[in-house]
């Protein structure tokens, strides 16, 4: 078990160094903390300048809890649980595929492409994979129990983007690792930080109190007027498992016929059928997903 202990030590030591780096270098171009704060403040200012639901307060209901979820899911969860878990899983996966006689590194070599093309390919494929996972979160009952937390928001704002159960990180990143990190060999993978920055911005805008749909580009990019219907409390029977599963690219919903935008959606009720009984506290929300429904 020495290998496991070494992975745990290296994981926590490495993440501790990373936290020290972002705290001591706030203006570094790859500082994730500064990036998150900057994008959040920028989109919040847009909400204040161009509010779609004008009666909604700037500090809306659930705002501070959503802000806490932003930092918990992106920093605290990684620090205490996910970084060690993901590194251990990656090491075990490497041992399994080696024993199975498969390549230890990657199945496809994409380094012959220019860096910009690699990043674009990475963005499109990763978005499709996440669209599939998001679809599963709605259609598989035990996965929906975790995803309900994200849909417990009753007033939409940018911070609702990162209001989700920590198990969603496990679902998304496990599938992304298996289909992206292992399958594709990308040169200078650290440039994926650029792609991730773009997805954070798009996600914040999708959940913001903004009445934008980007015109003709709505068929390519997810947008607030589309995503508000994903959070609708009531949907027709044909969309009983949800609609508009897009993460960044709306094109998947149009291709797979899961798009639904019957009206502006500005004043629709948000949530799910029994949202009134959903717990309001952070700890209770985490535990709720593990309870078996009677």
């Amino acid at each position: 078990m020495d290998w496991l202990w070494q992975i745990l030590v290296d994981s926590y030591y490495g993440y501790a160094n990373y936290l020290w780096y972002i705290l001591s270098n706030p203006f570094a171009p790859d500082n994730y903390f500064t990036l998150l704060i900057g994008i959040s403040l920028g989109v919040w200012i847009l909400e204040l300048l161009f509010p779609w639901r004008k009666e909604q307060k700037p500090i809306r209901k659930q705002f501070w809890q959503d802000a806490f979820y932003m930092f918990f899911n992106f920093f605290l969860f990684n620090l205490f649980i996910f970084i060690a878990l993901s590194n251990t899983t990656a090491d075990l996966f490497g041992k399994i595929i080696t024993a199975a006689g498969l390549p230890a590194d990657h199945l496809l070599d994409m380094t012959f492409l220019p860096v910009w093309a690699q990043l674009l390919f990475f963005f499109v494929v990763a978005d499709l994979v996440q669209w599939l996972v998001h679809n599963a979160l709605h259609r598989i009952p035990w996965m929906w129990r975790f995803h309900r937390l994200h849909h417990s928001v009753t007033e939409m704002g940018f911070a609702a983007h990162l209001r989700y159960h920590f198990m969603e990180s496990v679902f998304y990143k496990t599938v992304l690792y298996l289909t992206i990190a292992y399958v594709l060999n990308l040169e200078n993978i650290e440039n994926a930080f650029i792609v991730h920055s773009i997805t954070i911005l798009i996600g914040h805008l999708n959940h913001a109190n903004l009445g934008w749909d980007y015109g003709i580009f709505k068929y390519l990019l997810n947008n607030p007027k589309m995503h508000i219907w994903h959070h609708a409390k009531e949907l027709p029977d044909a969309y009983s498992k949800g609609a508009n599963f897009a993460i960044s690219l709306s094109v998947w919903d149009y291709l797979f016929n899961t798009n639904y935008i019957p009206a502006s959606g500005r004043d629709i009720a948000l949530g799910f059928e029994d949202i009134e009984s959903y717990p309001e506290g952070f700890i209770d929300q985490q535990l709720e997903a593990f309870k078996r429904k009677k």
Side-chain angles (χ1 to χ4, degrees), residues 142-163:
W142 68 269
M143 295 182 74
W144 166 246
R145 293 207 303 268
F146 295 100
H147 192 53
R148 280 208 314 165
L149 173 55
H150 181 64
H151 283 264
S152 66
V153 62
T154 55
E155 289 185 341
M156 190 67 79
F158 75 92
H161 175 209
L162 303 181
R163 175 191 183 88

Side-chain angles (χ1 to χ4, degrees), residues 92-250:
L92 286 172
F93 179 73
K95 287 179 168 59
I96 292 172
I97 62 173
T98 299
L102 294 172
D105 294 323
H106 307 278
L107 295 180
L108 300 176
D109 187 357
M110 307 300 295
T111 58
F112 67 92
L113 294 172
V115 173
W116 67 267
Q118 293 181 48
L119 291 177
L120 179 60
F121 188 77
F122 171 76
F123 172 67
V124 173
V125 175
D127 195 70
L128 174 58
V129 169
Q130 291 179 94
W131 184 91
L132 293 169
V133 173
H134 192 187
N135 207 306
L137 287 169
H138 281 258
R139 299 183 185 279
I140 301 175
W142 68 269
M143 295 182 74
W144 166 246
R145 293 207 303 268
F146 295 100
H147 192 53
R148 280 208 314 165
L149 173 55
H150 181 64
H151 283 264
S152 66
V153 62
T154 55
E155 289 185 341
M156 190 67 79
F158 75 92
H161 175 209
L162 303 181
R163 175 191 183 88
Y164 57 82
H165 197 281
F166 67 83
M167 279 298 295
E168 287 201 31
S169 292
V170 177
F171 300 148
Y172 278 108
K173 292 184 179 180
T174 298
V175 177
L176 279 172
Y177 175 80
L178 295 177
T179 58
I180 303 296
Y182 174 63
V183 174
L184 302 179
N185 181 21
L186 300 175
E187 188 177 16
N188 299 322
I189 190 62
E190 63 271 11
N191 288 324
F193 180 83
I194 299 171
V195 172
H196 194 57
S197 302
I198 295 172
T199 61
I200 291 294
L201 174 60
I202 294 174
H204 270 36
L205 289 171
N206 293 339
H207 292 81
N209 183 16
L210 298 169
W212 299 353
D213 63 8
Y214 311 142
I216 190 64
F217 293 104
K218 66 184 178 182
Y219 299 107
L220 177 65
L221 290 174
N222 195 6
N223 54 81
K225 281 191 173 181
M226 182 179 194
H227 197 68
I228 194 73
W229 282 101
H230 178 71
H231 284 262
K233 186 175 182 179
E234 296 182 2
L235 288 170
D237 290 343
Y239 298 95
S240 60
K241 295 299 183 181
N244 304 342
F245 300 106
I247 304 299
S248 295
L249 299 176
S250 61

